[in-house]
């Protein structure tokens, strides 16, 4: 029994609306799993099912080997952190942390010890006597994490905990959550629509769409070998370039350009023929001196530049389509320049035109 | 050289000047003053009349202030005025009203707030049907139910008693109060309720520890609605109680309409003001809270 959470054939319907359909997921002990998907795809719903805040329509949920499908949220051994913090406004920070423990009828000294430990870990000791209204957003979210921490549970559930914070705080707290996971080694299930959070935090990412899990894998796999065109376009910023063309043996033809695909790792062993889509990430397009080594090279004219400091995103036309590539921030380019770019097929992705699945 | 700052601003700058006596202001404040007078004048007449003696009233100067101020009409209205049968003034009716209003307000608000909380947060089976029936109840005219309730109370042995009237007030307050509380609790963040469930709080734990402390404004609104509504009730009071337990409104009516002797306008005015004093006090004391409560979600769909 090495799995911390197991979800078996889970269905969830709101009236006639099927939000989750036959969902299966196994999450290992101590694993950090991120549920990533665009808004409305059912991430929060899945998390609420695991927490016991929603009654499932069909299927089972197991936590630590126990079937908890019918158990109350407080009996499942989970702690939960919400996007809106959901701190009890009339209680002090200490009251917020102790509320669950008092409900569980824990002895007083045990409650005090747990609050002390959580406050130390999260560095909120000076705030214990304050009300939530007197805290900043980052402090509130720390307290909310503390409320899950004092419960001393095996599974932490996060529902977009950083979405209400500004960019800098979000980056800081993200690191803290990662450190917390490294120290505690709890199982964490983390819902987000932010791919940076997903990539940086996750051991494994589950990409969700329309109530189904499209791809489940490590951040590397998701980024490097996206299973279909949707995942490929969803992950990465700026997003992947897609070229619609035709695959014949080892050659991909788009318009009057042919790109040799030798070195591409086809999913089912051999090459395939037919209409296909070639996906190339902007950061995998090489420019400057490196072009010489690339198996495929072409000249393009710069249409638009977006300097971002560390690097510069360049827009151009290539093979009759809009194409973006990422250059070093130091590179000197201006609109109208002609630059030479190089592509490496082994880092590209090929998708079937009709099924949109990886070739 | 004249000392001129080179970049001195020319043309309009700073706040836009406004005329105090613009046509818009005259119209606006004129209307407001007219309306205020329309409401304040009767009150003024009542107060000055209640402090005049009968000879002065007979002179007929309705708007002139009292030459000789007297509080005798107030004393008479409270303790001596006759209601046709007895001459005890309003005092008995006042205490009856207190004994009707306090339990009715407490019972109706306690039950309705729990109803509203259950409807908003615990999606039990049949909740929608229950809510629809309750709202429908708010639209049934009282007159239709007057007699059936007489029979019900008689069967229960409560007809004519104060507790019977308390039950009637509690039931009739239910639809609107439940709606009020349900809407308020729905407007509170749902994640707070979820967090409390994860923290192991049950139905009553969440109600008392989480919801109640956040609901002071809406409880204030409910208290004001109920106190004024029940205090001002005449119909139920006259139908469901006996003369010895008539509420104050009924007593007032009987004093003002008693046909014996001369009409004592000063006593009638004093009696009317005394009866209206309770709702008036409630408004003055809690006006601010009331507005805050309304703004906090009482009127949100
Ligand atoms: N209580 C509800 N009743 C009906 N539909 C709901 C309810 N809650 C969520 N949904 C629907 O379920 C879908 C998934 O919602 P949710 O899990 O909140 O998405 P997200 O991935 O953004 O967290 C959405 O289309 C939403 O409209
Ligand atoms: Mg969500």
């Amino acid at each position: 029994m090495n799995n911390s959470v197991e979800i078996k054939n889970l269905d969830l319907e709101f009236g006639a609306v099927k939000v989750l359909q036959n969902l299966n997921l196994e999450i290992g002990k101590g694993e950090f799993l991120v549920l990533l998907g665009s808004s409305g795809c059912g991430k929060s719903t899945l998390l609420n099912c695991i927490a016991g805040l929603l009654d499932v329509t069909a299927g089972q949920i197991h936590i630590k080997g126990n079937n908890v499908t019918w158990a109350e949220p407080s009996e499942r051994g989970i702690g939960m952190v919400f996007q809106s913090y959901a701190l009890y406004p009339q209680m002090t920070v200490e009251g917020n942390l102790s509320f669950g423990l008092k409900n569980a009828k824990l002895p007083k000294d045990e409650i005090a010890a747990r609050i002390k430990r959580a406050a130390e870990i999260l560095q909120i000791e000076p705030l214990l006597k304050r009300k939530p209204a007197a805290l900043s957003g980052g402090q509130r979210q720390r307290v909310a994490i503390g409320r899950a921490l004092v419960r001393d549970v095996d599974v932490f559930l996060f529902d977009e905990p950083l979405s209400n914070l500004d960019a800098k705080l979000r980056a800081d707290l993200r690191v803290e959550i990662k450190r917390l996971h490294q120290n505690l080694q709890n199982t964490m299930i983390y819902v987000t629509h932010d791919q940076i959070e997903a990539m940086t935090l996750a051991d494994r990412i589950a990409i969700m769409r329309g109530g189904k899990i499209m791809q489940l894998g490590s951040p590397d796999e998701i980024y490097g070998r996206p299973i279909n065109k949707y995942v490929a376009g969803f992950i990465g910023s700026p997003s992947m370039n897609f070229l619609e063309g035709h695959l014949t043996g080892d050659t991909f033809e788009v318009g009057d350009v042919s790109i040799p695909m030798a070195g591409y790792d086809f999913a089912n062993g051999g090459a395939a023929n037919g209409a296909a889509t070639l996906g190339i990430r902007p950061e995998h397009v090489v420019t400057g001196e490196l072009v010489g080594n690339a198996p495929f090279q072409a000249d393009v004219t710069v249409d638009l530049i977006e300097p971002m400091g560390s690097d510069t995103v360049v827009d151009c036309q290539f093979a009759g389509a809009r194409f973006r590539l990422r250059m070093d921030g130091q590179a000197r380019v201006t609109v109208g320049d002609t630059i030479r770019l190089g592509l490496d097929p082994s880092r590209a992705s090929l998708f079937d035109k009709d099924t949109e699945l990886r070739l | 050289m004249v000392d001129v700052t080179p970049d001195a601003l020319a043309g309009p700058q700073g706040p836009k000047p406004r005329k105090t006596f613009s046509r818009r202001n005259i119209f606006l404040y004129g209307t407001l003053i007219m309306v205020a007078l329309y409401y304040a004048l009767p009150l003024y007449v009542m107060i000055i009349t209640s402090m005049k003696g009968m000879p002065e009233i007979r002179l007929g100067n309705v708007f002139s202030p009292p030459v000789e101020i007297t509080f005798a009409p107030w004393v008479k209205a409270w303790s001596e005025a006759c209601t046709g049968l007895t001459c005890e003034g309003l005092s008995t009716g006042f205490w009856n009203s207190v004994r009707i209003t306090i339990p009715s307000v407490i019972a109706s608000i306690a039950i309705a707030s729990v109803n509203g909380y259950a409807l908003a947060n615990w999606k039990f089976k049949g909740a929608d049907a229950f809510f629809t029936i309750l709202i429908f109840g708010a639209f049934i005219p009282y007159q239709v139910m007057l007699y059936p309730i007489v029979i019900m109370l008689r069967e229960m042995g409560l007809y004519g008693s104060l507790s019977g009237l308390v039950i009637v007030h509690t039931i009739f307050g239910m639809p609107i109060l439940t709606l009020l509380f349900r809407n308020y609790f729905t407007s509170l963040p749902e994640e707070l309720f979820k967090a409390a469930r994860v923290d192991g709080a049950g139905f009553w734990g969440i109600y008392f520890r989480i919801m109640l402390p956040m609901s002071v404004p809406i409880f204030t609104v409910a208290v004001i609605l109920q106190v004024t509504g029940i205090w001002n009730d005449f119909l139920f009071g006259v139908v469901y109680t006996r003369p010895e337990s008539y509420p104050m409104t009924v007593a007032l009516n009987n004093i003002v309409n008693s046909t014996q002797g001369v009409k004592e306008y000063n006593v009638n005015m004093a009696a009317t003001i005394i009866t209206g004093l309770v709702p008036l006090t409630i408004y003055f004391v809690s006006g601010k809270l009331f507005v805050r409560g309304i703004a906090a979600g009482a009127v949100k769909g």
Side-chain angles (χ1 to χ4, degrees):
Chain A
M1 184 46 56
N2 257 332
N3 285 329
S4 182
V5 178
E6 288 178 28
I7 294 154
K8 299 181 178 174
N9 303 332
L10 185 73
D11 283 356
L12 189 118
E13 295 166 10
F14 287 118
V17 189
K18 293 188 171 153
V19 178
L20 301 176
Q21 293 170 50
N22 197 25
L23 195 136
N24 285 283
L25 187 60
E26 295 184 350
I27 301 155
K29 195 165 164 23
E31 185 175 19
F32 200 124
L33 182 98
V34 172
L35 297 171
L36 177 64
S38 50
S39 173
C41 70
K43 309 177 298 284
S44 299
T45 305
L46 175 57
L47 208 66
N48 283 327
C49 287
I50 298 173
L53 294 167
L54 283 174
D55 279 338
V56 305
T57 310
Q60 291 184 337
I61 293 162
H62 296 244
I63 294 177
K64 266 186 103 185
N66 302 319
N67 184 342
V68 296
T69 313
W70 291 347
E72 280 293 303
S74 53
E75 299 162 357
R76 296 188 174 205
I78 51 126
M80 194 157 175
V81 180
F82 298 91
Q83 176 176 349
S84 65
Y85 323 125
L87 299 179
Y88 312 126
Q90 73 282 5
M91 300 182 194
T92 60
V93 168
E94 199 171 8
N96 269 278
L97 296 179
S98 63
F99 184 64
L101 306 180
K102 283 183 187 155
N103 285 329
K105 306 235 171 2
L106 254 60
K108 267 211 174 95
D109 44 348
E110 170 75 14
I111 295 180
R114 286 203 196 175
I115 290 179
K116 187 161 178 293
R117 175 170 163 266
E120 268 166 23
I121 293 176
L122 296 164
Q123 294 165 7
I124 51 173
E125 289 137 311
L127 312 176
L128 284 179
K129 298 286 174 223
R130 286 202 209 163
K131 292 264 177 78
L135 302 178
S136 70
Q139 291 170 330
R140 283 180 207 183
Q141 199 52 289
R142 259 175 235 262
V143 175
I145 295 172
R147 200 167 52 182
L149 206 62
V150 290
R151 290 174 55 76
D152 221 359
V153 288
D154 302 294
V155 182
F156 275 37
L157 307 175
F158 293 90
D159 193 352
E160 312 217 15
L162 308 183
S163 297
N164 281 6
L165 302 174
D166 61 52
K168 167 127 180 39
L169 257 173
R170 203 182 306 165
D172 292 349
L173 222 61
R174 196 174 71 211
V175 175
E176 271 187 55
I177 290 177
K178 183 146 195 168
R179 185 166 295 137
L180 191 71
H181 179 245
Q182 274 176 10
N183 295 339
L184 298 178
Q185 293 296 322
N186 292 42
T187 307
M188 294 193 174
I189 306 178
Y190 187 107
V191 163
T192 182
H193 63 262
D194 182 320
Q195 46 168 311
I196 313 270
E197 277 173 34
M199 295 296 281
T200 50
L201 290 171
D203 293 325
R204 279 195 304 164
I205 298 176
I207 305 265
M208 287 185 67
R209 187 190 192 191
K212 295 200 183 103
I213 293 179
M214 300 233 102
Q215 186 171 7
L216 176 64
S218 68
D220 261 1
E221 274 167 41
I222 302 259
Y223 177 80
R225 293 180 61 83
I227 200 169
N228 59 25
K229 198 177 153 190
Y230 175 80
V231 175
F234 190 76
I235 290 284
S237 173
S239 58
M240 190 180 258
N241 298 298
F242 291 114
L243 300 172
E244 305 286 343
H246 198 89
L247 188 67
T248 325
D250 258 356
T251 314
F252 182 80
E253 281 158 3
V254 46
D256 47 3
V257 185
S258 353
I259 303 171
M261 291 308 293
Y264 179 76
D265 182 15
F266 282 94
N268 42 10
N273 290 324
T277 307
L278 177 67
I280 299 156
R281 295 203 180 279
E283 55 271 34
H284 292 163
V285 180
V286 292
T287 49
E289 292 144 23
L290 298 168
V291 173
N293 306 328
F296 174 84
Q297 301 169 12
D299 287 319
V300 292
T301 310
V302 175
D303 286 339
L304 190 90
I305 49 176
E306 297 172 74
M308 300 188 179
S310 60
D311 42 35
T312 302
V313 177
V314 174
D315 257 48
C316 59
Q317 287 284 321
F318 173 60
R322 180 170 180 239
F323 197 85
R324 307 174 86 191
L325 57 98
R326 183 177 251 178
M327 295 173 74
D328 192 89
Q330 302 297 315
R332 294 270 161 270
V333 277
T334 40
V335 173
D337 284 358
T338 299
I339 53 173
R340 193 159 182 80
L341 57 79
L343 305 177
D344 179 359
S346 68
R347 305 182 79 177
S349 296
L350 271 173
F351 305 101
D352 188 290
K353 177 140 192 331
D354 298 323
T355 64
E356 301 203 336
L357 291 175
R358 186 179 187 84
L359 292 173
Chain B
M1 267 306 277
V2 196
D3 196 2
V4 180
T5 348
D7 54 355
L9 300 173
Q13 52 178 301
K16 188 175 170 184
R18 284 179 209 286
K19 266 192 279 173
T20 319
F21 287 103
S22 67
R23 201 188 298 175
R24 179 173 155 272
N25 277 359
I26 291 172
F27 185 74
L28 184 70
Y29 288 103
T31 312
L32 286 177
I33 290 168
M34 294 281 286
V35 172
L37 280 180
Y38 182 81
Y39 279 95
L41 211 57
L43 185 65
Y44 166 75
V45 170
M46 281 176 74
I47 292 173
I48 58 162
T49 308
S50 72
M51 294 191 290
K52 291 175 185 172
M54 278 311 285
E56 206 178 316
I57 291 173
R58 281 196 203 96
L59 293 177
N61 296 324
V62 177
F63 295 105
S64 62
V67 182
E68 235 178 299
I69 293 179
T70 164
F71 290 102
W74 288 70
V75 177
K76 187 167 184 198
W78 176 253
S79 52
E80 293 157 28
C82 294
T83 61
L85 298 173
T86 54
C87 289
E88 291 168 350
L90 280 171
S91 53
T92 323
F94 174 83
W95 290 113
N96 284 338
S97 273
V98 170
R99 273 151 59 205
I100 294 164
T101 304
I102 290 179
S104 307
V105 169
I106 293 175
S108 59
I109 291 179
I111 299 173
S113 64
V114 175
N115 278 352
Y117 159 66
L119 283 168
N121 290 304
W122 298 85
K123 304 205 165 51
F124 56 95
K125 260 207 188 80
D128 288 339
F130 180 78
F131 188 60
T132 314
I133 292 170
L134 205 63
I135 295 308
F136 188 68
F139 293 105
I140 300 177
Y142 289 168
Q143 294 83 334
V144 175
M145 291 189 276
L146 273 184
Y147 190 58
I149 289 179
V150 169
I151 298 173
M152 273 171 55
L153 288 177
R154 199 180 56 209
E155 293 304 310
M156 290 158 69
L158 294 173
Y159 181 62
S161 69
L162 283 184
S163 40
L165 185 56
V166 167
I167 292 176
V168 172
H169 278 307
T170 306
I171 293 173
F172 276 92
M174 221 31 60
I176 188 69
L177 283 184
T178 304
L179 181 67
L180 192 78
F181 279 106
R182 190 200 79 119
N183 286 355
Y184 182 79
F185 288 130
T186 309
S187 75
L188 295 180
E190 200 193 354
E191 293 192 337
L192 218 51
F193 172 75
K194 290 182 177 175
R197 283 197 67 197
V198 172
D199 269 340
F203 185 91
W204 294 111
I206 295 177
Y207 176 74
F208 283 113
R209 307 281 308 281
I210 309 294
M211 296 299 179
L212 272 197
M214 294 177 69
S215 309
V216 176
I218 203 68
F219 273 88
T220 314
V221 171
V223 167
I224 293 170
L225 282 180
Q226 285 301 85
V227 169
T228 47
I230 295 172
W231 192 270
N232 288 339
D233 163 67
F234 180 84
L235 183 61
F236 293 157
V238 86
V239 172
Y240 299 121
T241 53
R242 295 199 192 89
E244 67 269 20
S245 46
Y246 275 157
M248 199 172 188
T249 44
V250 181
L252 172 69
N253 172 68
N254 292 351
I255 287 173
V256 173
N257 287 339
S258 72
T259 45
Q260 315 162 334
V262 284
K263 276 233 179 285
E264 294 178 296
Y265 291 107
N266 50 359
V267 175
N268 291 351
M269 295 292 180
T272 310
I273 295 172
I274 294 174
T275 309
L277 228 44
V278 168
L280 215 56
T281 316
I282 294 268
Y283 282 133
F284 279 126
V285 170
S286 52
K288 224 177 219 162
L289 277 172
F290 183 76
V291 172
R292 214 184 298 159
I294 292 286
V299 287
K300 263 190 238 155

